């Protein structure tokens, strides 16, 4: 938000420099992000002087050029070639001397140089008003007052406005500071802390009066919840023209482009007092009646930016007898605004429901200065005052008279807030004891009225425009920001509380797993929990169980996610479109369901695609596949000391093939290959694998697991291998379970290290190469003992699975 320092000084007199005021504003919570210099004429007319044309003859080599001799108050006259048709001897004219910097219509600078034009030297430039930034005309040079003395600097002839403009990073809670008056009000409070008692000057409206009651516009408000207060007045015989320079300069300084005196007056009051206003051409109001109401959904309305919009049934509209003419608090209509032909104006000042304005503005993608203020909350007590101020301004700069009574529809007054402030709470939060007289002084400077004083605290009335100050802690924050956070003394003693946390705290386990994944080349991502409705892609997701957002910013952010897969696929698609094809992501997040009440569950999602590693000279690239992901999943579970679980083939609408690991019918993780039909929706052509961990269940399981420690065995293990010929239907799992069942004492592990099927084998047969590891924790096993066990295993495998040694 831009704030003019010159404008501020009209409210509060101060001789502080802009740089010093910058520090005060930042200390008060109105952080100044920068200070810009403003000049009503760019360059300040530096280097431009008054010249007198001594002679003016035809250029010898050009029909449209003149050769002039110009006196600029120096010993010798300047020869200047000029192409203006109105240049003549005896004129007083503005002359840009050599080295002067001028600006084109785009603000780009260029310098006046000595030149040779059609064979004749030119030592300067006689300027038109648009070349100086004094107007728009380029029909000829600017002819000055004949009484001016040659050599007089032109910035002494024309008044140049200089200003310092603060760029304030206004936080959303500071609705009270959305105007120059609001900022000046804060400065007054800040100056009091520096023992400077500055009085706050507000524009007088004592001159307001109704001259004739010749053009009253009837006003009807249908919903007082959406429009708690609405004021209107009519002004007749106004003349629409350009605003005076003083008003244009103030608006330009804060980045507002002047339009005409009526519109500029409403903008001026909005930035002066913080109350948005709207001016209608009264003759465009059909039926001479204003109705403030909502309309049927999909009603067509063309806004001032010439865009036809379909209205929502909750959009608050300003209507006449024919239909909508303005979107309340947001933007006017195309055909009801003030034009050069306007002679009668209906002026509106209102307090609209902030939530209603915000919804309409967001719904239609409109952001205006008016909606910016209305949706944060304006002062309901100045609605009438601001209207009178605007009416007087319009009469001053556009003529005319007030031609109707001021209608003020305000059925239920918006009350100020009541808060009881305890001294104990102040001292507790501030950290030191503040003098009650200082507290009262600060509160008074902030327009917070002290109703009663007790031994324990103060009964306060907070003005309605401070929508962010409704609790005791809010008042303490106000006291602190004016008192100065930098003035609070800090103890030299540092106190710290050490939290006693469980080793199975969620964040600790998350960090443990995240470190392992990062070490394996994964990148952590964080997706928005708000997403579009993806239930059509997965029949496991029920549309009725969506947690829907009541006022979504867009269709893409309309529901809370039921699955983390789709946000992961969005990230994959985003990166693939930017030539990044080898991706490994993980995310800790939540899913949400409206299933017999709102529920949320925490999950860990892995999503991978492309190659496992980059191509290099010592290792060839390998694509990620199901078994790669299986190893990652089991590695994570092993790190969490979860080694015994049930394996179930998955039947999922997300995965074409996959597995579920579970304990006691509780799913720990689902993983596998994402279906091509789903990938197609995201324009992903390469294979994608995903794993979804039920994080809540994992945390609960590991917190109940008792960890047992054993010494590392002192005795060596021994390994034996079998090459088994088995039927194609036999699974390694059967061999594994049978082996452990056969030998329970010293068989440590059973592993499959090769599978072969080929021409050398009988039909419907395959070869499994299986290793058996033996270990006795109390002694070294002999070959005789191991051979005995191997013979027993061979017999059982032959008997149960018809397995033969190759």
């Amino acid at each position: 938000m831009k704030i003019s320092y010159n404008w501020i000084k009209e409210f509060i007199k101060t001789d502080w420099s802009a740089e010093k005021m910058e520090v005060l504003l930042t200390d008060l919570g109105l952080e100044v992000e920068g200070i810009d210099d403003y000049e009503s004429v760019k360059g300040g007319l530096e280097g431009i002087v008054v010249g007198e044309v001594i002679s003016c003859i035809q250029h010898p080599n050009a029909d449209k050029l003149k050769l002039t001799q110009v006196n600029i108050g120096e010993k010798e006259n300047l020869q200047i070639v000029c192409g203006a048709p109105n240049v003549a001897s005896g004129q007083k004219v503005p002359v840009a001397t050599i080295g002067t910097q001028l600006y084109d219509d785009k603000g780009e600078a260029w310098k006046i140089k000595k030149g040779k034009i059609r064979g004749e030297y030119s030592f300067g430039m006689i300027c038109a008003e648009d070349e100086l930034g004094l107007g728009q005309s380029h029909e000829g040079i600017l002819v000055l007052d004949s009484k001016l003395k040659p050599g007089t600097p032109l910035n002494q002839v024309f008044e140049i406005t200089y200003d310092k403009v603060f760029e304030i990073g206004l936080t959303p809670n500071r609705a009270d500071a959305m105007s120059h008056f609001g900022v000046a009000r804060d400065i007054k409070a800040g100056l009091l802390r520096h023992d400077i008692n500055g009085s706050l000057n507000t524009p007088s409206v004592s001159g307001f009066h109704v001259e004739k009651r010749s053009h009253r516009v009837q006003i009807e408000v249908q919903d007082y919840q959406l429009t708690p207060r609405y004021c209107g007045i009519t002004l007749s015989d106004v003349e629409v023209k350009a605003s005076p320079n003083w008003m244009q300069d103030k608006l330009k300084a804060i980045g507002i482009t002047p339009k005409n005196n009526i519109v500029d007056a409403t903008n001026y009051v909005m930035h002066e007092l913080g109350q948005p206003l709207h001016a209608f051409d009264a003759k465009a109001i059909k039926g001479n009646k204003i109705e403030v109401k909502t309309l049927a959904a999909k009603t067509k309305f063309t806004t001032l930016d010439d865009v036809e919009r379909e209205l929502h049934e909750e959009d608050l509209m300003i209507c006449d007898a024919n239909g909508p003419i303005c979107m309340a608090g947001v933007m006017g209509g195309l055909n009801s605004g003030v034009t050069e032909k306007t002679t009668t104006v209906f002026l509106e000042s209102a307090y609209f429901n902030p939530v209603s304005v915000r919804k309409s503005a967001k719904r239609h993608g409109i952001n205006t200065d008016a909606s910016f203020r209305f949706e944060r909350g304006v002062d309901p007590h100045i609605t009438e005052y601001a209207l009178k101020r605007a009416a007087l301004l319009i009469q001053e700069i556009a003529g005319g008279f007030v031609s109707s009574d001021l209608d003020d529809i305000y059925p239920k007054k918006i009350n100020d807030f009541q808060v009881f402030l305890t001294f104990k709470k102040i001292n507790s939060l501030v950290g030191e004891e503040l003098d009650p007289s200082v507290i009262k002084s600060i509160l008074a400077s902030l327009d917070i009225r002290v109703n009663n004083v007790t031994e324990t605290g103060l009964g306060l009335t907070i003005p309605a425009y401070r929508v962010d100050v409704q609790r005791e802690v809010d008042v303490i924050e106000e006291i602190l920001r004016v008192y100065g956070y930098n003035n609070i003394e800090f103890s030299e003693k540092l106190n710290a509380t050490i939290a006693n946390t469980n080793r199975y705290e969620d964040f600790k386990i998350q960090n443990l797993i995240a470190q392992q994944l990062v070490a394996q080349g994964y990148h952590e991502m964080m997706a928005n929990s708000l997403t579009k409705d993806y239930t059509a892609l997965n029949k496991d997701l029920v549309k009725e169980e969506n947690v829907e957002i009541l006022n979504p910013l867009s269709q893409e952010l309309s529901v809370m996610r039921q699955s983390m897969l789709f946000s992961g696929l969005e990230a994959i698609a985003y990166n693939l479109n930017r030539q990044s094809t080898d991706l490994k992501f993980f995310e800790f997040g939540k899913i949400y369901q409206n299933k017999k009440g709102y529920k949320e569950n925490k999950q860990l999602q892995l999503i991978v695609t492309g190659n496992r590693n980059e191509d290099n000279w010592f290792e060839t690239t390998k694509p990620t596949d199901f078994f790669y992901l299986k190893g990652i999943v089991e590695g994570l579970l092993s790190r969490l000391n979860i080694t015994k679980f049930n394996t179930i083939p998955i039947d999922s609408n997300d995965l074409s093939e996959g597995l579920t690991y579970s304990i006691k019918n509780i799913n720990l993780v689902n993983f596998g290959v994402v279906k091509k039909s789903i990938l197609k929706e995201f324009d992903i052509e390469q294979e994608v694998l995903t794993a979804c961990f039920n994080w809540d269940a994992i945390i609960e399981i590991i917190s109940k697991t008792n960890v047992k420690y054993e010494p590392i065995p002192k005795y060596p293990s021994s390994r034996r291998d079998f090459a088994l010929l088995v039927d194609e239907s036999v699974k390694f799992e059967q061999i594994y379970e049978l082996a452990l069942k056969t030998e329970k004492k010293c068989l440590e592990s059973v592993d499959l290290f090769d599978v072969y099927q080929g021409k050398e084998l009988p039909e419907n047969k395959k070869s499994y190469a299986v290793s058996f590891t033996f270990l006795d924790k109390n002694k070294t096993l002999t070959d005789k003992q191991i051979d005995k066990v191997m013979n027993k295993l061979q017999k059982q495998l032959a008997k149960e699975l018809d397995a033969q040694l190759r």
Side-chain angles (χ1 to χ4, degrees), residues 438-455:
V438 172
I439 294 172
K440 292 177 188 177
S441 172
I442 292 173
L443 292 173
S445 71
L446 293 170
D447 292 344
I448 298 176
R449 191 168 67 251
V450 179
N451 299 323
N452 54 75
V453 182
T454 68
E455 291 183 1

Side-chain angles (χ1 to χ4, degrees), residues 308-410:
E308 186 178 73
R309 305 176 189 274
E310 283 191 357
L311 299 180
H312 189 273
E313 63 268 17
E314 294 181 359
D315 289 333
L316 184 64
M317 304 300 295
I318 312 298
C319 306
D320 63 8
N322 287 359
I325 57 175
C326 178
M327 189 178 294
V330 181
M331 184 178 280
L334 183 63
N335 300 317
S336 62
V338 173
T339 67
E340 293 179 356
K341 298 179 180 179
T342 299
T343 57
T344 305
V345 172
F346 175 73
L347 203 58
E348 164 196 281
S349 177
Y351 178 86
F352 296 116
N353 183 289
V355 175
S356 173
V357 174
R358 180 169 178 79
K359 286 182 179 179
S360 293
K362 294 299 179 185
R363 196 178 288 129
H364 297 285
I366 303 174
N367 183 26
T368 61
D369 283 340
S371 68
F372 176 82
R373 285 161 175 77
F374 275 126
E375 64 191 31
R376 285 161 176 79
V378 297
D379 184 358
H381 296 339
I382 68 165
T383 311
E384 180 186 7
Y385 168 71
L387 188 62
K388 289 180 178 180
R389 166 66 171 155
L392 289 171
L393 262 181
I394 290 173
Q395 286 181 279
E396 178 186 341
I397 64 178
F401 60 91
V402 178
S403 55
S404 75
D405 287 320
L406 192 154
D407 286 322
D408 185 3
I409 301 174
Y410 195 17

